Amino acid sequence: MTDHAKEVEDANAAFYRCFETADLDGMQEIWLDDPEALCVHPGALPVRGTSAINRSWALIMANTPYIQFFLTDVEVSVRDEVASVTCTENVLTAGEIVEATFTGARAIATNVFCRTPEGWRLWIHHASPVLSGQHHDDD
Amino acid sequence: MTDHAKEVEDANAAFYRCFETADLDGMQEIWLDDPEALCVHPGALPVRGTSAINRSWALIMANTPYIQFFLTDVEVSVRDEVASVTCTENVLTAGEIVEATFTGARAIATNVFCRTPEGWRLWIHHASPVLSGQHHDDD
């Protein structure tokens, strides 16, 4: 794995860590400051621009008492100044009741990072629910 | 709109036109020839690499008697050699029966194109079903 690929994988891991720990400042830091940044939460309409994206995370974090990600199938692809990470988000969430009930879910994420003087920053996050077990990736 | 943005929007329109007309050769042409190209069909697991992606389109086209796209909220963002298009895919499909029944559906797509000597080529297509009308894009 190249240095760049490793940096991108670290940036991707930091993104999920910020979500898990409800670290809104850290989350803001991870995103590119760009009115054309794009965030698609699973099953939702797109959120465009850093300030709207920040507000969406604030709302989601405020309504997520517990969340934990187990990433699988993490694939990093670096093309010069831009890199993509695709991964399966195996998500464990818990409700706000005393005796916690845990729920598992699975989503597919594409995260596209841009290289900036400050490091790799998230330009696009697109997560989608997995509705079928079917896949054609039989290479 | 810059020349590059216009080129990217045209490439994006060509992608949907190939799907509508079941033009598999045209579809292959649109994609970057890259083992790291990525395609996420709505609700499905990722398909990676040009040959697996081509097979997935062949299968989908063979099983789609009729499909028509009305794209809304098309937003193009160009960053040097890479550009993204996000759009809402308003999809009309019809079954294989004589008296056709039409079904409407909506998906959100992120399409990332790379600039090559042959023109803009599709690197990533990620489409996700819209499960909620909620959005936070209130800027």
Side-chain angles (χ1 to χ4, degrees):
Chain A
M1 185 176 264
T2 66
D3 286 354
H4 279 170
K6 181 74 179 67
E7 287 167 16
V8 169
E9 194 173 338
D10 289 349
N12 192 63
F15 167 75
Y16 289 101
R17 202 165 48 240
C18 286
F19 192 175
E20 286 178 338
T21 58
D23 177 358
L24 191 57
D25 290 343
M27 181 60 87
Q28 280 189 231
E29 186 84 1
I30 279 162
W31 282 83
L32 194 69
D33 189 6
D34 187 330
E36 295 181 344
L38 176 84
C39 185
V40 183
H41 299 292
L45 296 173
V47 183
R48 284 201 187 84
T50 315
S51 62
I53 291 171
N54 286 342
R55 285 198 300 282
S56 78
W57 285 114
L59 194 63
I60 288 170
M61 286 173 180
N63 288 288
T64 308
Y66 180 83
I67 192 161
Q68 193 173 359
F69 289 92
F70 303 92
L71 300 185
T72 52
D73 307 312
V74 180
E75 301 263 351
V76 180
S77 174
V78 181
R79 293 187 67 84
D80 204 16
E81 306 294 302
V82 174
S84 73
V85 182
T86 57
C87 53
T88 303
E89 303 175 348
N90 303 278
V91 189
L92 192 65
T93 51
E96 248 174 343
I97 54 175
V98 180
E99 298 288 329
T101 51
F102 289 91
T103 312
R106 201 160 55 132
I108 299 298
T110 301
N111 300 320
V112 184
F113 293 85
C114 293
R115 193 145 63 100
T116 76
E118 292 78 38
W120 294 92
R121 290 290 179 273
L122 192 54
W123 179 34
I124 298 170
H125 167 69
H126 190 146
S128 58
V130 180
L131 307 177
S132 109
Q134 260 194 319
H135 64 103
H136 318 285
D137 192 10
D138 51 6
D139 271 4
Chain B
M1 186 176 262
T2 66
D3 286 354
H4 279 169
K6 181 72 180 66
E7 287 167 17
V8 170
E9 196 173 336
D10 289 350
N12 193 63
F15 167 75
Y16 290 101
R17 204 164 47 240
C18 286
F19 192 174
E20 285 177 339
T21 58
D23 177 358
L24 192 57
D25 290 343
M27 182 59 88
Q28 278 188 232
E29 186 85 359
I30 278 162
W31 282 83
L32 195 68
D33 189 7
D34 187 331
E36 295 181 344
L38 176 82
C39 184
V40 183
H41 298 293
L45 295 173
V47 182
R48 282 203 188 83
T50 314
S51 62
I53 290 171
N54 287 343
R55 284 198 301 281
S56 79
W57 285 114
L59 194 63
I60 287 170
M61 287 173 180
N63 288 288
T64 308
Y66 180 84
I67 192 161
Q68 193 174 358
F69 288 93
F70 303 92
L71 301 185
T72 52
D73 307 313
V74 180
E75 301 261 352
V76 180
S77 174
V78 181
R79 294 186 67 84
D80 205 16
E81 305 295 302
V82 175
S84 73
V85 181
T86 57
C87 52
T88 303
E89 302 176 348
N90 303 277
V91 189
L92 192 64
T93 52
E96 250 175 343
I97 53 175
V98 180
E99 299 286 331
T101 50
F102 289 91
T103 312
R106 203 159 53 132
I108 299 298
T110 300
N111 299 319
V112 185
F113 293 85
C114 292
R115 193 143 66 98
T116 76
E118 293 78 39
W120 295 92
R121 289 292 178 271
L122 192 54
W123 178 34
I124 298 171
H125 168 69
H126 190 146
S128 58
V130 180
L131 307 177
S132 108
Q134 260 195 321
H135 63 104
H136 318 286
D137 192 9
D138 51 4
D139 270 5

